[in-house]
Amino acid sequence: MRNRIMVGIALFVAFLVIAVLDIFWLNFIIFGAILALAVLESLSLYNLKQKSIVVIAVVFFTLLPFVGGIQDVFKIIILNLVVVASVLAYSKNENLKLILPFIYPVAPIFILFAIYQSYGVSALFWLIFTIIASDSGAYFVGKFFGKRSFSPSSPNKTLEGVCGGLIIGIIFGIISGLILMDIAFIIVVLCSVGVVIFGIFGDLFESYLKRLAGVKDSGALLGEQGGILDRIDGYLFGVLAMYMVLI
């Protein structure tokens, strides 16, 4: 547990340094690296061996700085999916699972970058603070008060923990949103609620994929913290709620 906490703190400090610097093209490169690593990890979860998927995802990602951010990101996502589907049809490839990495994690990471593009690093802070508060609340409430299992996909999650994480995450989300963002109060509330709920199921979805694949973690890059997908699963669903509210 101590090592997990130390790695988590190190990751958060690294994010703070990058956020304070806030150099667009540096952040673009970092996003691209995270994308490549996340897609690579997803291949093992989907039992795929075609590493060319990573290259295709990164190529489409390079288009994002040249479109209109949050308004046009879905055009790139749809184009990506259409191209991949067309290649599958042309080559008569029977493995339809090849399209799954482009749905998750590629599409949410594209949206995450588009949120940064349109609303700046403050929006990322807001998202991260909200998910961290929710995860921490769920862990501690579940540890001390948890009795009933929340889902067979993640037996360690309890209903009590999830409820605690929901309440704590929403409270911290609203507070951090009001501090960091110059948007209407009702938007902050709706966004915080959506991010927390989606984030909970993002974590659950990652657990579901790992159980199907028969693995404990999505990777080993971060030691006891697991892989990249283990650390960003809540953000990848949470950012979808943020996107739907902000547009």
Side-chain angles (χ1 to χ4, degrees):
M1 178 58 68
R2 181 181 178 184
N3 289 338
R4 287 177 65 88
I5 292 173
M6 293 301 293
V7 172
I9 292 174
L11 290 173
F12 188 68
V13 170
F15 170 73
L16 285 178
V17 171
I18 293 168
V20 169
L21 292 174
D22 197 16
I23 302 171
F24 179 82
W25 289 107
L26 173 62
N27 293 340
F28 173 71
I29 292 171
I30 293 171
F31 262 96
I34 291 172
L35 171 68
L37 292 169
V39 175
L40 193 60
E41 289 180 0
S42 76
L43 298 184
S44 63
L45 297 180
Y46 295 128
N47 193 25
L48 298 172
K49 300 186 183 300
Q50 291 84 349
K51 293 185 178 180
S52 58
I53 291 174
V54 179
V55 177
I56 296 170
V58 172
V59 167
F60 274 94
F61 178 73
T62 61
L63 301 177
L64 291 183
F66 307 104
V67 299
I70 195 173
Q71 299 298 331
D72 292 330
V73 63
F74 251 95
K75 295 178 183 177
I76 301 299
I77 292 172
I78 296 299
L79 178 62
N80 192 355
L81 293 174
V82 168
V83 169
V84 173
S86 299
V87 171
L88 289 177
Y90 177 79
S91 60
K92 200 181 177 182
N93 194 310
E94 296 180 359
N95 191 359
L96 292 178
K97 289 198 300 182
L98 288 169
I99 206 166
L100 292 179
F102 296 99
I103 299 173
Y104 177 91
V106 172
I109 292 177
F110 279 22
I111 294 173
L112 193 61
F113 182 79
I115 290 286
Y116 162 68
Q117 231 179 327
S118 298
Y119 290 92
V121 75
S122 294
L124 297 186
F125 266 115
W126 183 20
L127 177 68
I128 290 173
F129 284 151
T130 303
I131 295 294
I132 288 177
S134 176
D135 286 347
S136 300
Y139 174 78
F140 287 108
V141 172
K143 183 178 179 65
F144 291 105
F145 303 104
K147 294 180 180 179
R148 289 168 286 189
S149 177
F150 176 64
S151 167
S153 292
S154 184
N156 291 331
K157 288 186 183 300
T158 64
L159 180 60
E160 293 81 3
V162 168
C163 291
L166 183 68
I167 295 170
I168 293 171
I170 289 173
I171 292 172
F172 272 82
I174 292 172
I175 293 172
S176 57
L178 292 174
I179 294 171
L180 294 168
M181 304 294 292
D182 185 22
I183 54 179
F185 175 75
I186 186 62
I187 299 298
V188 170
V189 173
L190 291 175
C191 205
S192 298
V193 172
V195 164
V196 172
I197 294 174
F198 276 50
I200 289 169
F201 283 95
D203 184 64
L204 189 64
F205 181 69
E206 180 71 13
S207 297
Y208 166 72
L209 290 181
K210 288 186 290 189
R211 284 195 167 272
L212 289 181
V215 296
K216 179 178 180 293
D217 297 312
S218 65
L221 181 66
L222 303 175
E224 292 188 17
Q225 287 273 0
I228 291 293
L229 283 175
D230 292 313
R231 299 280 55 80
I232 66 174
D233 50 10
Y235 307 132
L236 296 187
F237 270 41
V239 75
L240 301 178
M242 183 174 282
Y243 175 82
M244 288 187 289
V245 174
L246 292 181
I247 60 172

